[in-house]
Amino acid sequence: MRATLGKVFHVSAWSWYTFLILSLMAKDADELPAGMFLYGGPWKYLTFLNLVLQMVFFGLAVLNDLLEMGGKSTARLLLLSRDLLFSVFAFPVGVFVVLIFWVIFIYDRQLIFPASLDDFFPSWMNHGMHTLVLPILLGELLLQPHTFPKTWMGLAALGIVGSAYLLWVIWVYLSVGIWVYPMLGLFSTPGLLGFFLLNMFLVILLYHVGKVLDRHLWGKSQMVMKTK
C-alpha cells in the first residue's frame, strides 16, 4: 500500500511542478515591474530554480518507479542520483526557500514580494512557489527512505552549488546594476557577506535536519552511500 501511494504521490508531485513551471513561463514578462526579468529572466530567482529542481527530482522518482513496475532492476546510478538530489539539494533548498520567503514576507513583504506582484502572481501561484513545497517534501520523507552521502561529500556538493548561485547573483548585479532581490542593495559589503554566510549556514542546517528526520523515520540502514 505504501509503495503504491508513493508512486501516485511522485506522479502527482511531478505533474504539479510541471504545470506550475509552464504556467510561470507562459506569463507575459511585459506586465512585470521594469527590470524584474532583465538579464536571465526567471532563471536568476532561487524560487524558480527550486521549482525546476523539485520537478527534476520527482521526474527521477517517477522514472525509478516505472522501472520497478516493469520488473526491471533499477540502475544503481539512477537510484543514487535520485537520493543524492533529494538529500543534498531538493530537501534543504526547498525548505530554505519556504522559510526565508515567509520570514522576510512577514517582516516586510516589500523586501521580497511587493503587493504590486499580486495581480501577476495570484495567491494560488504564490503558495505553489513558496508554501506547498514544504508539505510535498515532508510527504516524500514519510513515504520513502533516502540514502544520504557521507556528510563531507553532501556538504561539499551543497557548498559548490550554493557558491555558484551566489556568484550568479553577483554577476547579474555587475552586468546590469540590478540586484536579483532588491533587499540586497540595502546591505553594506560586510553586511552582504554576513547575509550570504547566514543563508549558507541555514541551508547546511536544513541538510542535517533532513538527515535526522530520515534516520528517525527509517532507521540508520539507509543513511550512508557506500562507494564500491
Side-chain angles (χ1 to χ4, degrees):
M1 180 64 182
R2 185 190 294 268
T4 301
L5 183 59
K7 291 177 173 61
V8 173
F9 180 79
H10 289 155
V11 171
S12 300
W14 177 79
S15 300
W16 163 248
Y17 282 120
T18 301
F19 165 74
L20 187 56
I21 290 172
L22 291 176
S23 297
L24 288 169
M25 296 295 288
K27 289 284 187 178
D28 185 358
D30 293 335
E31 298 178 10
L32 283 169
M36 187 171 179
F37 273 7
L38 178 67
Y39 199 91
W43 297 95
K44 59 180 177 287
Y45 294 102
L46 187 59
T47 291
F48 184 79
L49 294 175
N50 176 59
L51 294 178
V52 174
L53 171 63
Q54 303 299 327
M55 183 187 69
V56 171
F57 164 71
F58 282 105
L60 281 178
V62 170
L63 180 57
N64 181 72
D65 293 340
L66 290 174
L67 289 175
E68 288 182 350
M69 291 173 62
K72 299 178 181 179
S73 59
T74 305
R76 180 172 177 78
L77 181 59
L78 175 62
L79 187 61
L80 291 181
S81 297
R82 183 203 67 184
D83 281 352
L84 179 65
L85 199 58
F86 179 82
S87 61
V88 179
F89 300 114
F91 183 84
V93 174
V95 177
F96 172 80
V97 167
V98 173
L99 291 181
I100 198 69
F101 175 84
W102 287 111
V103 166
I104 298 175
F105 186 95
I106 292 171
Y107 175 73
D108 183 356
R109 69 169 298 177
Q110 293 300 117
L111 295 175
I112 195 167
F113 197 84
S116 59
L117 294 178
D118 287 345
D119 291 335
F120 191 83
F121 299 109
S123 180
W124 71 266
M125 187 172 284
N126 181 24
H127 284 293
M129 295 186 292
H130 300 118
T131 306
L132 289 179
V133 174
L134 180 56
I136 291 174
L137 287 171
L138 293 178
E140 174 65 19
L141 270 177
L142 290 170
L143 289 172
Q144 191 167 32
H146 299 87
T147 303
F148 279 67
K150 293 181 179 179
T151 299
W152 73 266
M153 294 176 64
L155 294 183
L158 191 57
I160 291 172
V161 173
S163 298
Y165 177 70
L166 292 180
L167 290 174
W168 168 230
V169 169
I170 294 171
W171 175 261
V172 171
Y173 173 73
L174 294 176
S175 298
V176 295
I178 297 176
W179 284 108
V180 173
Y181 301 100
M183 63 173 292
L184 297 178
L186 302 177
F187 291 100
S188 64
T189 301
L192 194 60
L193 178 60
F195 182 71
F196 285 158
L197 291 176
L198 178 63
N199 285 340
M200 285 300 298
F201 173 78
L202 180 55
V203 174
I204 290 171
L205 179 62
L206 291 172
Y207 167 81
H208 287 291
V209 168
K211 192 172 184 178
V212 169
L213 288 175
D214 193 271
R215 177 181 296 174
H216 177 74
L217 291 168
W218 300 99
K220 298 181 180 181
S221 60
Q222 297 285 334
M223 290 305 298
V224 180
M225 291 182 181
K226 296 179 180 179
T227 55
K228 292 185 178 180

Short mmCIF file of all heavy atoms in Angstrom, two decimals, residues 113-155:
data_model
loop_
_atom_site.label_atom_id
_atom_site.label_comp_id
_atom_site.label_asym_id
_atom_site.label_seq_id
_atom_site.Cartn_x
_atom_site.Cartn_y
_atom_site.Cartn_z
N PHE A 113 8.39 40.43 -1.94
CA PHE A 113 7.22 40.16 -2.79
C PHE A 113 6.24 41.32 -2.65
O PHE A 113 5.23 41.22 -1.96
CB PHE A 113 6.56 38.84 -2.38
CG PHE A 113 5.62 38.26 -3.41
CD1 PHE A 113 6.12 37.48 -4.44
CD2 PHE A 113 4.25 38.49 -3.34
CE1 PHE A 113 5.27 36.94 -5.38
CE2 PHE A 113 3.39 37.95 -4.28
CZ PHE A 113 3.90 37.17 -5.31
N PRO A 114 6.54 42.45 -3.31
CA PRO A 114 5.69 43.64 -3.19
C PRO A 114 4.24 43.37 -3.57
O PRO A 114 3.95 42.48 -4.38
CB PRO A 114 6.35 44.63 -4.16
CG PRO A 114 7.74 44.14 -4.34
CD PRO A 114 7.67 42.65 -4.22
N ALA A 115 3.34 44.14 -3.00
CA ALA A 115 1.91 43.97 -3.29
C ALA A 115 1.61 44.15 -4.78
O ALA A 115 0.62 43.61 -5.29
CB ALA A 115 1.10 44.97 -2.47
N SER A 116 2.48 44.87 -5.47
CA SER A 116 2.28 45.10 -6.91
C SER A 116 2.36 43.81 -7.72
O SER A 116 1.92 43.77 -8.88
CB SER A 116 3.31 46.10 -7.44
OG SER A 116 4.63 45.62 -7.22
N LEU A 117 2.92 42.75 -7.13
CA LEU A 117 3.04 41.48 -7.84
C LEU A 117 1.82 40.58 -7.67
O LEU A 117 1.72 39.54 -8.32
CB LEU A 117 4.28 40.71 -7.34
CG LEU A 117 5.64 41.34 -7.64
CD1 LEU A 117 6.76 40.49 -7.04
CD2 LEU A 117 5.85 41.51 -9.14
N ASP A 118 0.89 40.97 -6.80
CA ASP A 118 -0.25 40.11 -6.51
C ASP A 118 -1.12 39.86 -7.74
O ASP A 118 -1.69 38.77 -7.89
CB ASP A 118 -1.11 40.72 -5.40
CG ASP A 118 -0.45 40.61 -4.03
OD1 ASP A 118 0.52 39.83 -3.91
OD2 ASP A 118 -0.89 41.31 -3.10
N ASP A 119 -1.24 40.84 -8.60
CA ASP A 119 -2.05 40.65 -9.81
C ASP A 119 -1.36 39.74 -10.81
O ASP A 119 -2.02 39.00 -11.55
CB ASP A 119 -2.35 42.01 -10.46
CG ASP A 119 -3.29 42.87 -9.62
OD1 ASP A 119 -4.05 42.29 -8.83
OD2 ASP A 119 -3.23 44.10 -9.76
N PHE A 120 -0.04 39.80 -10.84
CA PHE A 120 0.72 38.98 -11.79
C PHE A 120 0.87 37.54 -11.28
O PHE A 120 0.77 36.59 -12.05
CB PHE A 120 2.10 39.60 -12.02
CG PHE A 120 2.84 38.98 -13.18
CD1 PHE A 120 2.59 39.40 -14.47
CD2 PHE A 120 3.78 37.99 -12.97
CE1 PHE A 120 3.27 38.83 -15.55
CE2 PHE A 120 4.46 37.42 -14.03
CZ PHE A 120 4.20 37.84 -15.32
N PHE A 121 1.10 37.40 -9.98
CA PHE A 121 1.22 36.08 -9.36
C PHE A 121 0.07 35.92 -8.37
O PHE A 121 0.17 36.34 -7.22
CB PHE A 121 2.55 35.94 -8.61
CG PHE A 121 3.77 36.06 -9.48
CD1 PHE A 121 4.59 37.18 -9.41
CD2 PHE A 121 4.10 35.07 -10.39
CE1 PHE A 121 5.71 37.30 -10.20
CE2 PHE A 121 5.22 35.18 -11.20
CZ PHE A 121 6.03 36.30 -11.11
N PRO A 122 -1.05 35.32 -8.79
CA PRO A 122 -2.20 35.15 -7.90
C PRO A 122 -1.84 34.30 -6.68
O PRO A 122 -0.81 33.64 -6.65
CB PRO A 122 -3.24 34.46 -8.78
CG PRO A 122 -2.47 33.85 -9.91
CD PRO A 122 -1.28 34.74 -10.13
N SER A 123 -2.72 34.32 -5.70
CA SER A 123 -2.45 33.66 -4.42
C SER A 123 -2.09 32.19 -4.59
O SER A 123 -1.15 31.69 -3.97
CB SER A 123 -3.66 33.80 -3.50
OG SER A 123 -3.43 33.17 -2.27
N TRP A 124 -2.81 31.46 -5.46
CA TRP A 124 -2.55 30.03 -5.61
C TRP A 124 -1.15 29.79 -6.16
O TRP A 124 -0.47 28.82 -5.78
CB TRP A 124 -3.59 29.38 -6.52
CG TRP A 124 -3.50 29.74 -7.98
CD1 TRP A 124 -4.16 30.73 -8.63
CD2 TRP A 124 -2.66 29.11 -8.98
NE1 TRP A 124 -3.81 30.78 -9.96
CE2 TRP A 124 -2.89 29.79 -10.20
CE3 TRP A 124 -1.75 28.05 -8.94
CZ2 TRP A 124 -2.24 29.43 -11.38
CZ3 TRP A 124 -1.10 27.69 -10.12
CH2 TRP A 124 -1.35 28.38 -11.32
N MET A 125 -0.69 30.69 -7.04
CA MET A 125 0.63 30.53 -7.62
C MET A 125 1.72 30.88 -6.60
O MET A 125 2.75 30.19 -6.52
CB MET A 125 0.76 31.42 -8.86
CG MET A 125 2.03 31.22 -9.65
SD MET A 125 2.02 32.12 -11.24
CE MET A 125 0.93 31.06 -12.21
N ASN A 126 1.48 31.92 -5.81
CA ASN A 126 2.43 32.30 -4.77
C ASN A 126 2.61 31.15 -3.78
O ASN A 126 3.74 30.79 -3.41
CB ASN A 126 1.94 33.56 -4.05
CG ASN A 126 2.90 34.02 -2.98
OD1 ASN A 126 4.09 33.73 -3.01
ND2 ASN A 126 2.38 34.74 -2.00
N HIS A 127 1.50 30.57 -3.34
CA HIS A 127 1.59 29.46 -2.38
C HIS A 127 2.18 28.21 -3.04
O HIS A 127 2.86 27.42 -2.37
CB HIS A 127 0.22 29.16 -1.80
CG HIS A 127 -0.23 30.16 -0.77
ND1 HIS A 127 0.40 30.29 0.45
CD2 HIS A 127 -1.22 31.09 -0.80
CE1 HIS A 127 -0.20 31.27 1.14
NE2 HIS A 127 -1.17 31.76 0.41
N GLY A 128 1.94 28.04 -4.32
CA GLY A 128 2.56 26.93 -5.03
C GLY A 128 4.07 27.04 -5.05
O GLY A 128 4.79 26.05 -4.94
N MET A 129 4.57 28.27 -5.18
CA MET A 129 6.01 28.51 -5.23
C MET A 129 6.64 28.53 -3.85
O MET A 129 7.79 28.10 -3.68
CB MET A 129 6.29 29.85 -5.93
CG MET A 129 5.90 29.91 -7.39
SD MET A 129 6.43 31.47 -8.17
CE MET A 129 5.36 32.65 -7.34
N HIS A 130 5.90 29.03 -2.85
CA HIS A 130 6.54 29.34 -1.56
C HIS A 130 5.94 28.64 -0.35
O HIS A 130 6.41 28.86 0.77
CB HIS A 130 6.46 30.86 -1.32
CG HIS A 130 7.15 31.67 -2.36
ND1 HIS A 130 6.50 32.58 -3.17
CD2 HIS A 130 8.45 31.70 -2.73
CE1 HIS A 130 7.36 33.14 -3.99
NE2 HIS A 130 8.56 32.63 -3.76
N THR A 131 4.90 27.82 -0.53
CA THR A 131 4.28 27.14 0.62
C THR A 131 4.18 25.64 0.42
O THR A 131 4.66 24.86 1.23
CB THR A 131 2.88 27.72 0.90
OG1 THR A 131 2.97 29.13 1.06
CG2 THR A 131 2.30 27.11 2.17
N LEU A 132 3.54 25.22 -0.67
CA LEU A 132 3.28 23.80 -0.89
C LEU A 132 4.55 22.97 -1.03
O LEU A 132 4.51 21.75 -0.85
CB LEU A 132 2.40 23.61 -2.13
CG LEU A 132 0.94 24.06 -1.99
CD1 LEU A 132 0.19 23.83 -3.29
CD2 LEU A 132 0.25 23.32 -0.85
N VAL A 133 5.65 23.63 -1.33
CA VAL A 133 6.93 22.91 -1.45
C VAL A 133 7.23 22.15 -0.17
O VAL A 133 7.69 20.99 -0.21
CB VAL A 133 8.07 23.91 -1.75
CG1 VAL A 133 9.42 23.20 -1.73
CG2 VAL A 133 7.85 24.59 -3.09
N LEU A 134 6.96 22.75 0.98
CA LEU A 134 7.29 22.13 2.26
C LEU A 134 6.48 20.87 2.54
O LEU A 134 7.07 19.81 2.82
CB LEU A 134 7.11 23.14 3.39
CG LEU A 134 7.42 22.63 4.81
CD1 LEU A 134 8.83 22.07 4.90
CD2 LEU A 134 7.21 23.74 5.83
N PRO A 135 5.13 20.90 2.49
CA PRO A 135 4.39 19.66 2.74
C PRO A 135 4.68 18.55 1.73
O PRO A 135 4.64 17.37 2.07
CB PRO A 135 2.91 20.09 2.70
CG PRO A 135 2.91 21.41 2.03
CD PRO A 135 4.22 22.05 2.34
N ILE A 136 4.98 18.94 0.49
CA ILE A 136 5.31 17.92 -0.51
C ILE A 136 6.62 17.22 -0.14
O ILE A 136 6.75 15.99 -0.22
CB ILE A 136 5.39 18.54 -1.91
CG1 ILE A 136 4.00 18.97 -2.38
CG2 ILE A 136 6.00 17.55 -2.92
CD1 ILE A 136 3.98 19.72 -3.70
N LEU A 137 7.61 17.99 0.30
CA LEU A 137 8.88 17.39 0.72
C LEU A 137 8.71 16.52 1.96
O LEU A 137 9.31 15.44 2.06
CB LEU A 137 9.90 18.50 0.99
CG LEU A 137 10.45 19.20 -0.24
CD1 LEU A 137 11.27 20.43 0.16
CD2 LEU A 137 11.31 18.25 -1.08
N LEU A 138 7.90 16.96 2.90
CA LEU A 138 7.65 16.16 4.10
C LEU A 138 6.92 14.87 3.72
O LEU A 138 7.18 13.81 4.31
CB LEU A 138 6.85 16.96 5.11
CG LEU A 138 7.57 18.16 5.73
CD1 LEU A 138 6.64 18.91 6.68
CD2 LEU A 138 8.84 17.72 6.46
N GLY A 139 6.01 14.96 2.76
CA GLY A 139 5.33 13.76 2.29
C GLY A 139 6.29 12.77 1.69
O GLY A 139 6.19 11.56 1.92
N GLU A 140 7.26 13.26 0.93
CA GLU A 140 8.28 12.38 0.35
C GLU A 140 9.10 11.69 1.44
O GLU A 140 9.41 10.50 1.34
CB GLU A 140 9.19 13.20 -0.57
CG GLU A 140 10.39 12.45 -1.14
CD GLU A 140 10.00 11.32 -2.07
OE1 GLU A 140 8.87 11.30 -2.58
OE2 GLU A 140 10.88 10.45 -2.30
N LEU A 141 9.44 12.44 2.48
CA LEU A 141 10.19 11.84 3.60
C LEU A 141 9.39 10.73 4.27
O LEU A 141 9.95 9.69 4.67
CB LEU A 141 10.52 12.92 4.64
CG LEU A 141 11.83 13.68 4.51
CD1 LEU A 141 11.92 14.74 5.60
CD2 LEU A 141 13.03 12.75 4.58
N LEU A 142 8.08 10.92 4.41
CA LEU A 142 7.23 9.95 5.10
C LEU A 142 7.00 8.69 4.28
O LEU A 142 6.81 7.61 4.84
CB LEU A 142 5.89 10.58 5.44
CG LEU A 142 5.89 11.65 6.54
CD1 LEU A 142 4.54 12.36 6.59
CD2 LEU A 142 6.21 11.01 7.90
N LEU A 143 7.01 8.82 2.96
CA LEU A 143 6.63 7.71 2.10
C LEU A 143 7.80 6.84 1.65
O LEU A 143 7.58 5.69 1.26
CB LEU A 143 5.90 8.24 0.86
CG LEU A 143 4.50 8.79 1.10
CD1 LEU A 143 3.97 9.47 -0.16
CD2 LEU A 143 3.55 7.66 1.53
N GLN A 144 9.02 7.36 1.73
CA GLN A 144 10.14 6.60 1.16
C GLN A 144 11.45 6.95 1.86
O GLN A 144 11.73 8.12 2.12
CB GLN A 144 10.26 6.92 -0.33
CG GLN A 144 11.20 6.03 -1.09
CD GLN A 144 11.02 6.21 -2.59
OE1 GLN A 144 10.69 7.29 -3.07
NE2 GLN A 144 11.23 5.15 -3.34
N PRO A 145 12.26 5.93 2.18
CA PRO A 145 13.59 6.22 2.75
C PRO A 145 14.53 6.73 1.66
O PRO A 145 14.34 6.47 0.48
CB PRO A 145 14.04 4.85 3.27
CG PRO A 145 13.34 3.88 2.38
CD PRO A 145 12.01 4.49 2.06
N HIS A 146 15.54 7.48 2.08
CA HIS A 146 16.51 8.02 1.14
C HIS A 146 17.93 7.80 1.65
O HIS A 146 18.22 8.02 2.82
CB HIS A 146 16.26 9.52 0.92
CG HIS A 146 14.91 9.82 0.37
ND1 HIS A 146 13.81 9.99 1.19
CD2 HIS A 146 14.46 9.95 -0.90
CE1 HIS A 146 12.74 10.22 0.44
NE2 HIS A 146 13.12 10.20 -0.83
N THR A 147 18.78 7.38 0.75
CA THR A 147 20.18 7.20 1.09
C THR A 147 20.88 8.55 1.08
O THR A 147 20.73 9.32 0.14
CB THR A 147 20.86 6.26 0.08
OG1 THR A 147 20.16 5.01 0.06
CG2 THR A 147 22.30 6.02 0.47
N PHE A 148 21.63 8.82 2.14
CA PHE A 148 22.38 10.07 2.23
C PHE A 148 23.86 9.79 1.96
O PHE A 148 24.37 8.74 2.31
CB PHE A 148 22.23 10.70 3.62
CG PHE A 148 20.96 11.47 3.80
CD1 PHE A 148 19.72 10.84 3.81
CD2 PHE A 148 20.99 12.85 3.95
CE1 PHE A 148 18.55 11.55 3.97
CE2 PHE A 148 19.84 13.57 4.11
CZ PHE A 148 18.60 12.92 4.12
N PRO A 149 24.57 10.75 1.37
CA PRO A 149 26.01 10.58 1.18
C PRO A 149 26.72 10.81 2.50
O PRO A 149 26.11 11.24 3.49
CB PRO A 149 26.35 11.68 0.18
CG PRO A 149 25.37 12.76 0.47
CD PRO A 149 24.09 12.05 0.85
N LYS A 150 28.02 10.54 2.53
CA LYS A 150 28.80 10.91 3.70
C LYS A 150 28.69 12.42 3.87
O LYS A 150 28.62 13.17 2.90
CB LYS A 150 30.26 10.49 3.51
CG LYS A 150 30.43 8.98 3.49
CD LYS A 150 31.89 8.59 3.32
CE LYS A 150 32.04 7.07 3.33
NZ LYS A 150 33.46 6.64 3.15
N THR A 151 28.68 12.85 5.12
CA THR A 151 28.39 14.25 5.41
C THR A 151 29.29 15.21 4.65
O THR A 151 28.82 16.20 4.06
CB THR A 151 28.51 14.51 6.92
OG1 THR A 151 27.56 13.69 7.62
CG2 THR A 151 28.22 15.97 7.24
N TRP A 152 30.59 14.93 4.61
CA TRP A 152 31.51 15.87 3.96
C TRP A 152 31.23 15.96 2.46
O TRP A 152 31.37 17.04 1.86
CB TRP A 152 32.96 15.48 4.22
CG TRP A 152 33.45 14.27 3.49
CD1 TRP A 152 33.45 12.98 3.93
CD2 TRP A 152 34.01 14.23 2.16
NE1 TRP A 152 33.98 12.13 2.98
CE2 TRP A 152 34.33 12.88 1.89
CE3 TRP A 152 34.27 15.21 1.20
CZ2 TRP A 152 34.89 12.47 0.69
CZ3 TRP A 152 34.83 14.81 -0.01
CH2 TRP A 152 35.14 13.45 -0.25
N MET A 153 30.81 14.84 1.87
CA MET A 153 30.50 14.86 0.44
C MET A 153 29.23 15.67 0.17
O MET A 153 29.17 16.46 -0.78
CB MET A 153 30.34 13.43 -0.07
CG MET A 153 31.61 12.60 -0.02
SD MET A 153 31.34 10.87 -0.53
CE MET A 153 30.86 11.11 -2.24
N GLY A 154 28.22 15.45 1.02
CA GLY A 154 26.98 16.18 0.84
C GLY A 154 27.17 17.68 1.02
O GLY A 154 26.67 18.48 0.22
N LEU A 155 27.92 18.07 2.06
CA LEU A 155 28.14 19.48 2.32
C LEU A 155 29.02 20.12 1.25
O LEU A 155 28.83 21.29 0.89
CB LEU A 155 28.76 19.67 3.70
CG LEU A 155 27.88 19.27 4.89
CD1 LEU A 155 28.58 19.57 6.21
CD2 LEU A 155 26.52 19.97 4.83
#
